[in-house]
């Protein structure tokens, strides 16, 4: 049997790095949920690096993980290269307008993402406008 969905909550940093390293070479995992884990900058960087190479992951949930705008820059850079991710959930984090702009810039290059959830962040009208302007061309 092949694992296609992995859900882990409140996991330790070293486990996130291990999962990220495995994700680089994994070809069967479709859904990864790492919610409520308070992921550090280095953990987000590990996940982002894996996203650049992984071709099977369709859904990634990083809800309530204390993700900041600097973390979003890393994720956004990965989105420019990733061609498999269709759902990205980043609800209840610390993403503001600059993070929304970073995601907007990435969406110009990304053709696979269909669902982006950014509920309960610190995105104001200007961040929402940035995202909506990008959607005209995505």
């Amino acid at each position: 049997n092949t694992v296609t969905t992995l859900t882990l909550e409140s996991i330790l940093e070293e486990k996130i790095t291990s999962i990220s390293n495995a994700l680089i070479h994994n070809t069967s995992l479709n859904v990864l949920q790492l919610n409520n884990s308070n992921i550090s900058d280095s953990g987000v960087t590990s996940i982002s690096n894996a996203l650049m190479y992984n071709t099977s992951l369709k859904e990634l949930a990083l809800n309530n993980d204390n993700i900041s705008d600097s973390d979003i820059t890393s994720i956004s850079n990965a989105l420019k290269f990733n061609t498999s991710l269709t759902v990205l959930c980043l609800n209840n984090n610390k993403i503001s307008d600059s993070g929304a702009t970073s995601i907007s810039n990435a969406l110009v290059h990304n053709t696979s993402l269909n669902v982006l959830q950014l509920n309960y962040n610190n995105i104001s009208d200007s961040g929402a406008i940035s995202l909506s302007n990008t959607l005209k061309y995505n």
Side-chain angles (χ1 to χ4, degrees):
N1 290 343
T2 303
V3 174
T4 58
T5 301
L6 179 60
T7 302
L8 298 168
E9 298 205 10
S10 303
I11 64 171
L12 300 173
E13 184 71 27
E14 60 269 11
K15 301 298 181 198
I16 291 173
T17 302
S18 296
I19 290 166
S20 298
N21 290 337
L23 196 58
I24 290 172
H25 305 287
N26 183 281
T27 59
S28 62
L29 194 66
N30 293 320
V31 179
L32 178 60
Q33 298 176 340
L34 300 174
N35 302 314
N36 304 309
S37 294
N38 198 24
I39 301 173
S40 72
D41 291 349
S42 64
V44 173
T45 299
S46 294
I47 293 167
S48 298
N49 289 341
L51 286 176
M52 287 188 185
Y53 299 101
N54 181 278
T55 59
S56 66
L57 195 67
K58 304 277 185 238
E59 297 181 26
L60 176 62
L62 300 172
N63 298 310
N64 197 33
D65 279 331
N66 204 33
I67 293 175
S68 67
D69 289 332
S70 62
D71 296 326
I72 285 301
T73 300
S74 179
I75 292 171
S76 295
N77 287 335
L79 286 176
K80 292 176 184 177
F81 298 98
N82 183 280
T83 59
S84 63
L85 201 65
T86 60
V87 177
L88 179 59
C89 304
L90 297 166
N91 299 311
N92 199 28
N93 282 293
K94 295 183 176 181
I95 303 166
S96 71
D97 293 335
S98 65
T101 300
S102 180
I103 292 170
S104 296
N105 293 335
L107 291 178
V108 171
H109 304 282
N110 182 287
T111 58
S112 63
L113 199 64
N114 294 319
V115 177
L116 174 62
Q117 294 182 356
L118 294 167
N119 300 308
Y120 305 106
N121 279 287
N122 300 315
I123 300 171
S124 72
D125 289 348
S126 73
I129 289 169
S130 177
L131 287 164
S132 66
N133 286 338
T134 300
L135 293 178
K136 292 177 187 176
Y137 307 103
N138 179 272

